[in-house]
């Protein structure tokens, strides 16, 4: 026997149908449905709309009339009624922020009250800051997740903090996002945001590199650079930095997710140790591929403006005057610095964030951001001496202060000439750059993901 909705449900379904029927022709077309899905951040919207039509477009005319759409809505209602009761922890008939926080906690993810508020606002139609069954049903009709885990995965997409100089950890994609190609939108958005943030903070990055190589002499060296090449010289080497950043992050992301899929492990099942291992493996592989560009960036940052006409001439000069081995100078300490950075950041992040989120009412977005930055700062502090050794090795052949050949000799030289302080030259500039980088990446990525099809 066919189940018919209540009069109230019929009115609600009719209102939703009319809202989706943007051109008022009495049908919901693929483009109309897909556009509404994208507004709430549904991944693989194209594939999902086609799947809905495949199941409910009974006359195969490529669109849904009211009766066809009503059947789809009633099926969603039947499927998600029990799940709504599961989400409504205290059986009060609505979902509130505490329910969302508890749901994420059950899945091993701790979120702030601000993030829970954003999720509620996504579904809340009457501004009550709670979501009743009718509001939840409208959301789940446009967000055709198959289960609670997939629904949470779609919500998580808007709650990623990016703390650090660019993107230290790879983004995680579901199997569906990987198979459908939806990950390309996130990579593109993240790539543009990364390029903008690197360009805006390029002068600080150049100061950091000069401090790592020249120590206290970096100020006078920088002033000579500005007098010789003008303010624009502070962006020398930025092009290669942008060229390296996004492709390297993309490759690391692809390797991370591919290994995860081959291991047949879902993101929610990954332990801290597995995340650490995947991050190290994917990061090392991507780092090895793009390391020569890192060497070119350092050389361009340290040379006086006008020394090279461009990236090609710089690469040619290194190859002819030194050897191809020069493109991997400093690679071992660079690879080694990833281990303490990733390990310490991960350990501190787990501890600090657990403390920060113990009181959900006081877990503001700014507080969580600062705690995330504290984790980054701890990892950066632990690994920074290796980063200085790497940069000094990369600068060999153009700096009179870096004529040693091995990592051990470079370490000894730094200590002999500058003491312990020498191993932390430029770290203040690195922290100063991290704040605007993180904010730009987070803000731009969120905005661009919505704009891209």
């Amino acid at each position: 026997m066919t189940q018919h909705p209540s009069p109230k449900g019929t009115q609600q379904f009719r209102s939703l149908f009319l809202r989706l029927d943007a051109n008022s022709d009495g049908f919901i077309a693929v483009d109309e449905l897909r556009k509404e899905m994208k507004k709430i951040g549904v991944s693989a919207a194209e594939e999902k709309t086609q799947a809905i039509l495949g199941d409910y477009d009974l006359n195969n005319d490529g669109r849904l009339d009211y009766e066809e759409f009503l059947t789809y809505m009633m099926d969603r209602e039947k499927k998600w009624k029990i799940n709504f009761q599961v989400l409504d922890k205290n059986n009060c008939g609505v979902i509130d922020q505490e329910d969302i926080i508890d749901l994420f906690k059950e899945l091993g993810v701790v979120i702030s009250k601000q993030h829970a508020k954003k999720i509620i606002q996504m579904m809340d139609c009457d501004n009550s800051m709670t979501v009743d069954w009718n509001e939840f049903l409208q959301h789940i009709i446009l967000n055709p997740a198959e289960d609670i885990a997939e629904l949470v995965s779609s919500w998580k997409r808007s709650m990623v903090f990016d703390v650090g100089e660019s993107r230290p950890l790879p983004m995680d994609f579901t199997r569906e996002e990987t198979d459908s190609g939806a990950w390309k939108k996130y990579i593109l958005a993240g790539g543009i945001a990364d390029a903008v943030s690197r360009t805006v903070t390029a002068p600080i990055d150049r100061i950091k590199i000069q401090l790592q190589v020249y120590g206290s002499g970096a100020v006078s060296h920088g002033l000579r650079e500005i007098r010789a090449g003008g303010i624009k010289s502070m962006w020398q080497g930025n092009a290669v930095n942008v060229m390296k950043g996004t492709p390297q992050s993309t490759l690391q992301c692809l390797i991370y997710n591919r290994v995860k899929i081959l291991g047949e492990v879902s993101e929610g099942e990954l332990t801290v140790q597995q995340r650490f291992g995947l991050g190290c493996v994917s990061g090392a592989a991507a780092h090895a591929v793009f390391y020569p560009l890192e060497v070119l960036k350092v050389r361009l940052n340290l040379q006086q403006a006008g020394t090279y006409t461009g990236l090609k001439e710089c690469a040619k000069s290194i190859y002819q005057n030194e050897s191809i081995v020069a493109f991997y100078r400093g690679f071992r300490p660079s690879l080694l610095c990833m281990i303490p950075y990733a390990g310490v950041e991960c350990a501190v992040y787990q501890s600090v964030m657990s403390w920060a989120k113990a009181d959900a009412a006081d877990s503001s977005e700014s507080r969580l951001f600062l705690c995330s930055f504290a984790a980054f700062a701890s990892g950066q502090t632990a690994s920074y001496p290796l980063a200085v050794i790497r940069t000094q090795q990369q600068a060999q052949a153009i700096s009179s202060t870096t004529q040693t050949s091995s990592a051990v000799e470079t370490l000894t030289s730094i200590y002999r000439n500058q003491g312990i302080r020498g191993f932390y030259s430029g770290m203040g500039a690195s922290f100063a750059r991290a704040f605007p980088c993180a904010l730009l990446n987070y803000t731009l990525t969120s905005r661009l993901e919505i704009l891209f099809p």
Side-chain angles (χ1 to χ4, degrees):
M1 182 176 177
T2 304
Q3 179 184 0
H4 295 285
S6 65
K8 184 178 179 181
T10 302
Q11 182 180 1
Q12 174 198 357
F13 291 160
R14 171 63 72 176
S15 297
L16 180 58
F17 179 83
L18 294 175
R19 178 163 70 85
L20 295 177
D21 181 16
N23 60 3
S24 302
D25 64 351
F27 298 93
I28 298 177
V30 172
D31 290 341
E32 292 170 332
L33 187 56
R34 182 174 59 235
K35 182 179 179 181
E36 290 298 319
M37 285 185 180
K38 288 181 178 179
K39 282 183 180 179
I40 59 173
V42 175
S43 62
E46 176 71 37
E47 291 75 10
K48 290 183 183 296
T49 52
Q50 292 295 345
I52 292 172
L53 259 71
D55 292 335
Y56 296 96
D57 179 19
L58 302 181
N59 57 4
N60 297 317
D61 63 350
R63 54 189 183 173
L64 299 176
D65 60 29
Y66 178 67
E67 291 299 324
E68 292 169 335
F69 191 63
L70 181 62
T71 303
Y72 166 65
M73 289 188 286
M74 291 174 62
D75 285 350
R76 297 297 290 170
E77 181 179 30
K78 187 188 305 181
K79 180 180 181 66
W80 278 90
K81 189 68 175 179
I82 295 177
N83 285 329
F84 178 81
Q85 294 169 353
V86 171
L87 296 176
D88 178 16
K89 304 293 183 182
N90 54 9
N91 297 316
C92 62
V94 296
I95 301 172
D96 57 22
Q97 295 176 45
E98 294 302 325
D99 291 327
I100 297 296
I101 291 171
D102 289 343
L103 170 63
F104 273 82
K105 191 178 294 185
E106 289 173 4
L107 295 173
V109 180
V110 183
I111 65 170
S112 70
K113 199 165 185 177
Q114 282 293 109
H115 283 139
K117 180 180 178 181
K118 288 182 179 179
I119 293 173
I120 291 293
Q121 289 174 330
M122 190 189 307
M123 300 179 279
D124 182 21
C125 300
D126 58 7
N127 298 318
S128 64
M129 288 311 301
T130 59
V131 178
D132 60 25
W133 165 242
N134 290 328
E135 291 171 326
F136 182 78
L137 179 58
Q138 287 198 43
H139 177 77
I140 211 65
I141 285 170
L142 295 176
N143 188 354
E146 289 302 313
D147 50 41
I148 291 178
E150 186 180 340
L151 179 63
V152 169
S153 178
S154 72
W155 289 343
K156 280 172 62 179
R157 188 61 62 189
S158 62
M159 298 186 299
V160 177
F161 273 113
D162 183 14
V163 176
E165 296 192 23
S166 55
R167 219 186 299 166
L169 295 176
M171 295 173 63
D172 301 319
F173 299 115
T174 64
R175 184 184 296 271
E176 180 184 337
E177 289 170 337
T178 303
D179 293 341
S180 68
W183 59 271
K184 296 176 184 177
K185 178 181 74 171
Y186 305 115
I187 291 293
L188 180 59
I192 294 175
D194 182 64
V196 172
S197 65
R198 285 174 184 268
T199 301
V200 170
T201 60
I204 305 177
D205 190 43
R206 190 172 189 196
I207 291 171
K208 179 195 75 174
I209 291 174
Q210 291 178 344
L211 284 167
Q212 287 177 337
V213 175
Y214 300 120
S216 58
V219 175
S220 58
H221 183 85
L223 291 174
R224 288 197 301 270
E225 284 290 304
I226 293 175
R227 283 196 294 268
I231 293 296
K232 69 177 183 179
S233 65
M234 296 303 292
W235 274 267
Q236 184 168 297
N238 180 61
V240 68
N241 194 28
V242 171
M243 286 172 58
K244 175 184 76 73
T246 300
Q248 182 171 324
S249 297
T250 303
L251 180 60
Q252 181 176 357
C253 170
L254 294 177
I255 295 172
Y256 182 97
N257 284 280
R258 181 51 56 185
V259 173
K260 185 180 71 176
I261 289 173
L262 290 175
E264 297 185 349
V265 181
S266 67
E267 189 54 39
E269 296 172 348
L270 285 177
T271 64
V272 173
Q273 293 82 1
Q274 287 174 322
R275 287 176 185 273
F276 176 76
L278 280 172
C280 286
V281 170
S282 59
H287 192 60
V289 172
F290 290 95
Y291 189 79
L293 290 177
E294 177 70 24
V295 174
L296 289 170
K297 184 196 83 169
V298 170
R299 293 294 182 92
L300 287 167
N301 269 297
L302 295 174
Q303 289 285 32
Q304 185 174 341
T307 302
Y308 303 115
T309 57
L311 175 64
K312 185 177 179 180
E313 185 182 344
C314 180
K316 183 178 179 181
S317 174
I318 294 174
Y319 177 72
Q320 291 179 340
N321 298 323
E322 299 169 63
S323 74
I324 196 168
V325 178
F327 289 104
Y328 277 88
R329 277 211 179 111
F331 180 69
R332 278 179 289 184
S334 180
L335 202 58
L336 286 173
C337 83
M338 293 175 58
I339 298 174
Y341 175 81
V344 172
E345 185 188 36
C346 184
V348 173
Y349 182 85
Q350 296 296 330
S351 303
V352 173
M353 295 302 271
S354 295
W355 165 79
K357 294 169 180 175
D359 182 6
D362 194 34
S363 296
S364 65
E365 193 165 298
S366 58
R367 186 185 186 193
L368 295 178
F369 182 85
L370 289 173
C371 289
S372 297
F373 187 82
F376 156 76
S378 301
Q380 180 83 310
T381 303
S383 64
Y384 199 82
L386 287 167
V388 173
I389 294 172
R390 172 199 65 194
T391 304
Q392 290 215 6
Q393 286 201 292
Q394 291 170 341
Q396 286 179 21
I398 65 170
S399 171
S400 59
T401 63
T402 57
Q403 292 300 316
T404 52
S405 56
S406 71
V408 174
E409 290 173 329
T410 303
L411 183 151
T412 304
S413 175
I414 293 172
Y415 182 74
R416 184 175 59 250
N417 295 327
Q418 303 175 57
I420 295 295
R421 288 180 58 188
F423 293 108
Y424 292 92
S425 295
M427 193 167 71
S430 182
F431 287 165
R433 179 175 180 263
F435 259 112
C437 259
L439 291 173
L440 281 168
N441 272 321
Y442 175 69
T443 303
L444 289 176
T445 301
S446 300
R447 300 294 183 271
L448 290 170
E449 283 179 3
I450 296 173
L451 293 177
F452 291 146

